[in-house]
Amino acid sequence: MIIVKLGGSVLTDKTKPFTIRYATLMNLISDIRKYINETKNAMIIVLGGGSFGHFIVSKCIEDKGFIDEYCASLTSNVMNELALHISRLFNISGLSTMVFTTHSIFTYDNYELKGDTKIINHYLKQQIVPILYGDVILYKGRFKVLSGDEISWYLASILNADKLIFVTDVDGVYDRHPRYPNARHLPLISLSKDLNKIRIETRGYDVTGGIIGKLKIGLRYHRGFEVLIINGLIKGNLYKALIGEKIKATKVIP
Ligand code: IPE
């Protein structure tokens, strides 16, 4: 089973509110369809918030200092709508995707994420490709952002995935922001040894910490399955990563 996190940076233009990168999205859908048609492997797709979820949450925090019930409702509905829209595009390409309302599956129990993976497994067994998304969930009377990254790590760890692929807008991890000419690409990164080697700030609307956030969460969940961070802006890259062909990317080990 494979988990693919389609990051907000590749699905949307993170600097422009509510903007989908359709050309890129259609390439990613086509890679996934090709892979599933050829292998019949099970897959779960997780969507990031990009300029949808992140935009709303950052505005709320700017205006009110926290996520109130109206903001939670707005964020959740917008993310659900985005997921349904993307799921319909998968349907048009012939794939059997189904959106799972993420906040009704996940909860925190004493700071630990808990998800109803039984229900997801149930559908996976019937060749459905579940789609989940970064959402807002209620914890101890407060609304909290649950990132698509954490959902992906969690599901990979609990469901014993063979592979977890983070699709982003860069070729993986660099020692500093890739816009610097002297930024060095890191083909392999160990979560326990290398995290202090990276200095990166995030761009656009982002409330969950960008690439560093993604890696830090992994510390909790990495059980030795294969983890790749790849560039989804390059056509065909996702398909290559899915079938195990070598591309410029970062492999993440515990
Ligand atoms: C964020 O999910 C979800 C919301 C803001 C509601 P992610 O943190 O996984 O999103 P991206 O991939 O960084 O955009």
Side-chain angles (χ1 to χ4, degrees):
M1 197 267 290
I2 299 203
I3 297 187
V4 175
K5 156 83 193 295
L6 297 177
S9 61
V10 76
L11 287 176
T12 73
D13 180 342
K14 271 191 147 177
T15 60
K16 293 193 195 118
F18 310 116
T19 311
I20 295 180
R21 292 179 153 191
Y22 275 105
T24 305
L25 175 60
M26 296 321 287
N27 287 337
L28 296 170
I29 290 177
S30 141
D31 279 5
I32 291 173
R33 184 206 44 211
K34 191 168 166 207
Y35 174 76
I36 292 184
N37 284 348
E38 283 170 8
T39 63
K40 308 282 177 250
N41 265 357
M43 183 185 286
I44 299 176
I45 295 170
V46 183
L47 309 177
S51 64
F52 287 74
H54 281 293
F55 173 70
I56 301 174
V57 174
S58 20
K59 285 285 159 229
C60 291
I61 292 179
E62 218 175 277
D63 292 350
K64 301 173 183 161
F66 71 109
I67 304 173
D68 67 359
E69 68 285 1
Y70 182 71
C71 176
S73 156
L74 204 59
T75 310
S76 191
N77 288 340
V78 162
M79 284 308 297
N80 191 261
E81 222 167 62
L82 174 71
L84 282 173
H85 179 58
I86 292 178
S87 185
R88 285 286 296 120
L89 295 175
F90 272 106
N91 282 163
I92 291 164
S93 89
L95 277 187
S96 311
T97 49
M98 234 184 233
V99 175
F100 285 71
T101 312
T102 305
H103 63 266
S104 39
I105 290 190
F106 285 94
T107 174
Y108 278 100
D109 180 8
N110 239 339
Y111 299 101
E112 264 194 59
L113 188 61
K114 290 269 181 298
D116 185 357
T117 48
K118 252 200 240 141
I119 188 90
I120 297 172
N121 241 335
H122 221 51
Y123 284 82
L124 269 178
K125 286 197 187 114
Q126 301 304 320
Q127 279 78 52
I128 291 285
V129 178
I131 297 186
L132 293 104
Y133 49 88
D135 201 350
V136 169
I137 65 172
L138 194 55
Y139 179 56
K140 295 199 173 177
R142 282 179 181 270
F143 294 102
K144 187 176 161 13
V145 172
L146 170 61
S147 74
D149 289 339
E150 182 155 10
I151 298 168
S152 307
W153 278 112
Y154 176 88
L155 291 176
S157 140
I158 301 286
L159 297 174
N160 289 321
D162 303 300
K163 208 186 255 195
L164 165 59
I165 301 177
F166 289 102
V167 184
T168 69
D169 62 343
V170 285
D171 295 325
V173 184
Y174 288 76
D175 63 347
R176 67 203 65 196
H177 199 286
R179 77 165 162 259
Y180 294 112
N182 58 346
R184 199 163 53 89
H185 178 254
L186 307 171
L188 179 73
I189 179 159
S190 155
L191 294 178
S192 51
K193 294 188 199 125
D194 300 331
L195 278 193
N196 56 352
K197 290 185 191 158
I198 313 161
R199 304 258 164 279
I200 297 187
E201 76 279 14
T202 55
R203 280 174 302 169
Y205 306 103
D206 195 319
V207 291
T208 54
I211 217 144
I212 295 284
K214 187 189 305 304
L215 295 171
K216 277 192 181 149
I217 299 168
L219 276 170
R220 247 177 285 154
Y221 297 107
H222 206 329
R223 309 269 174 273
F225 41 84
E226 189 179 349
V227 182
L228 287 175
I229 303 179
I230 71 161
N231 190 340
L233 298 181
I234 299 173
K235 205 172 167 194
N237 240 9
L238 176 57
Y239 176 74
K240 288 182 185 159
L242 285 165
I243 60 167
E245 206 176 301
K246 203 170 161 37
I247 52 166
K248 185 173 182 191
T250 297
K251 186 174 174 167
V252 182
I253 57 171

